[in-house]
């Protein structure tokens, strides 16, 4: 058999277009789910595929049978699990936003954002204006920004204060910050169901803890009752945090990872030469 008989320019061109089209679709799907909880589920599926391949290679019959059963019923489970991501993908495709990108924030812009936040938080704390400001990080928060009012506005202390002033249309709910912009205001967040949370904490604090339980977001809360400022991340909350500690923690968590690695590299290099 001559394997090269069909290797004509038209056929080769079709194959190249076919490969590029499939590669592009896979790439866009990965971009779409990057930064969402779906990526963690895909990692779990990848591990299961490896286990199935190992069981097939070494003829581990029981393990192979178990994996086959999981894959048989897993298709329906995947449709249910990925339903929010699939719905969002179709909506973005219909709106022509499948090619959207998340804006990176450099270290100088991060410092500006934190400075604006501190000015707004200090103002609201003195006047006991309740506020909840959530910073999106690796895990995407699209499903929560869609529950609020889209803004896509440059973050400033004046805008934050105006949003949370009582009796204004957007004051009830959370502000979600994406990059250097306020992505949305008046957003609804999941409330934490942790039974060990202090009964003194109200809805804002429970929402801040709740969003940190389902994502890696970091939240700043201003209490309407006491004016205290709190910081929530990783399912925990630090109440009545001091301004210096808040600035330090925010800068540590929000500045670009590349900057952290670069600074650590130069520090080690300087120590070596010293």
């Amino acid at each position: 058999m001559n394997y090269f008989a069909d290797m004509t320019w038209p056929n080769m061109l079709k194959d190249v277009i076919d490969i590029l089209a499939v590669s592009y679709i896979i790439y866009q799907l990965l971009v779409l789910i990057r930064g969402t909880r779906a990526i963690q589920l895909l990692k779990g599926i990848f591990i299961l595929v490896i286990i199935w391949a190992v069981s097939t290679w070494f003829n581990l019959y029981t393990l192979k049978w178990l994996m086959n059963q999981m894959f048989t019923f897993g298709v329906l489970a995947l449709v249910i699990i990925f339903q929010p991501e699939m719905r969002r993908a179709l909506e973005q495709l219909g709106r022509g936003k499948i090619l959207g990108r998340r804006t990176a924030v450099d270290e100088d812009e991060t410092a500006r954002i934190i400075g604006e936040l501190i000015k707004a938080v200090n103002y609201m704390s003195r006047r006991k204006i309740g506020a909840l400001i959530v910073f999106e990080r690796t895990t995407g928060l699209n499903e929560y920004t869609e529950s609020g009012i889209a803004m896509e506005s440059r973050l400033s202390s004046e805008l934050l204060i105006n949003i949370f002033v009582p009796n204004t249309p957007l004051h009830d709910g959370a502000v979600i910050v994406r990059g250097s912009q306020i992505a949305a205001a008046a957003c609804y967040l999941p409330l934490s169901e942790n039974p060990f949370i202090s009964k003194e904490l109200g809805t804002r604090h429970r929402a801040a803890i709740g969003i940190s339980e389902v994502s890696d977001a970091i939240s700043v809360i201003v209490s309407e009752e006491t004016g205290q400022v709190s910081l929530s991340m990783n399912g925990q909350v630090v109440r009545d945090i001091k301004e210096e500690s808040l600035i330090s923690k925010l800068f540590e968590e929000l500045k670009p990872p590349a900057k952290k690695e670069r600074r650590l590299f130069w520090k080690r290099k300087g120590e070596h030469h010293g």
Side-chain angles (χ1 to χ4, degrees):
M1 176 181 285
N2 186 1
Y3 292 100
F4 301 97
D6 294 332
M7 291 187 63
T8 61
W9 280 111
N11 288 336
M12 291 176 63
L13 182 60
K14 286 194 299 183
D15 291 339
V16 170
I17 294 175
D18 189 23
I19 294 172
L20 290 177
V22 173
S23 301
Y24 179 77
I25 292 172
I26 294 175
Y27 171 76
Q28 290 300 333
L29 288 174
L30 291 175
V31 169
L32 180 68
I33 66 174
R34 182 185 62 185
T36 68
R37 287 175 289 174
I39 199 67
Q40 306 300 327
L41 296 174
L42 283 182
K43 291 179 181 178
I45 294 172
F46 181 70
I47 293 174
L48 291 178
V49 170
I50 293 177
I51 295 175
W52 173 81
V54 171
S55 65
T56 302
W57 181 267
F58 292 101
N59 291 321
L60 305 176
Y61 298 107
T62 305
L63 185 58
K64 181 180 178 181
W65 175 85
L66 181 61
M67 291 295 103
N68 287 334
Q69 296 303 311
M70 292 184 64
F71 289 137
T72 300
F73 298 101
V75 175
L76 179 59
L78 286 178
V79 172
I80 296 174
I81 293 173
F82 286 102
Q83 187 270 336
E85 283 75 18
M86 293 172 63
R87 175 178 59 83
R88 194 173 303 112
L90 293 175
E91 290 176 351
Q92 291 181 353
L93 182 62
R95 293 194 299 260
K97 294 184 178 180
I98 196 71
L99 299 178
R101 294 290 185 271
R102 191 171 301 172
T103 305
V105 180
D106 59 26
E107 191 167 338
D108 292 337
E109 182 65 8
T110 300
R112 186 197 71 82
I113 291 171
I114 294 174
E116 294 293 323
L117 173 75
I118 294 300
K119 285 194 292 184
V121 165
N122 286 340
Y123 179 93
M124 292 185 288
S125 177
R126 289 193 299 268
R127 290 160 179 79
K128 294 185 179 180
I129 299 174
L132 173 53
I133 304 161
V134 180
F135 289 90
E136 180 186 74
R137 299 205 290 172
T138 305
T139 304
L141 302 178
N142 285 345
E143 59 189 291
Y144 304 110
T145 58
E146 291 171 0
S147 70
I149 306 299
M151 296 191 65
E152 302 298 336
S153 304
R154 189 171 187 262
L155 187 148
S156 68
S157 58
E158 294 81 5
L159 182 55
L160 284 174
I161 293 170
N162 285 331
I163 288 174
F164 288 110
V165 168
N167 302 320
T168 55
L170 301 179
H171 86 281
D172 191 19
V175 158
I176 295 180
V177 177
R178 175 178 297 148
S180 61
Q181 291 188 322
I182 296 177
C187 300
Y188 293 98
L189 305 181
L191 299 181
S192 175
E193 298 180 358
N194 186 344
F196 301 105
I197 295 177
S198 172
K199 303 299 182 182
E200 299 177 0
L201 298 180
T203 303
R204 283 191 182 86
H205 290 81
R206 288 185 173 272
I209 297 173
I211 195 66
S212 72
E213 290 173 343
V214 299
S215 72
D216 62 348
I218 183 168
S219 304
V220 177
I221 315 103
V222 180
S223 173
E224 188 174 356
E225 289 76 20
T226 64
Q228 289 183 350
V229 179
S230 302
L231 180 70
S232 176
M233 59 184 298
N234 300 324
Q236 304 292 327
V237 62
V238 179
R239 301 173 63 183
D240 195 18
I241 188 170
K242 302 306 177 186
E243 181 177 324
E244 295 78 9
S245 300
L246 178 60
I247 295 173
S248 175
K249 192 63 179 177
L250 286 174
F251 194 74
E252 176 186 346
E253 298 296 333
L254 298 179
K255 69 179 179 179
K259 296 289 185 180
K260 297 179 185 178
E261 295 172 2
R262 190 179 304 170
R263 178 170 293 183
L264 182 60
F265 170 77
W266 286 111
K267 181 178 179 181
R268 288 177 177 174
K269 185 177 180 181
E271 291 173 351
H272 176 74
H273 287 291

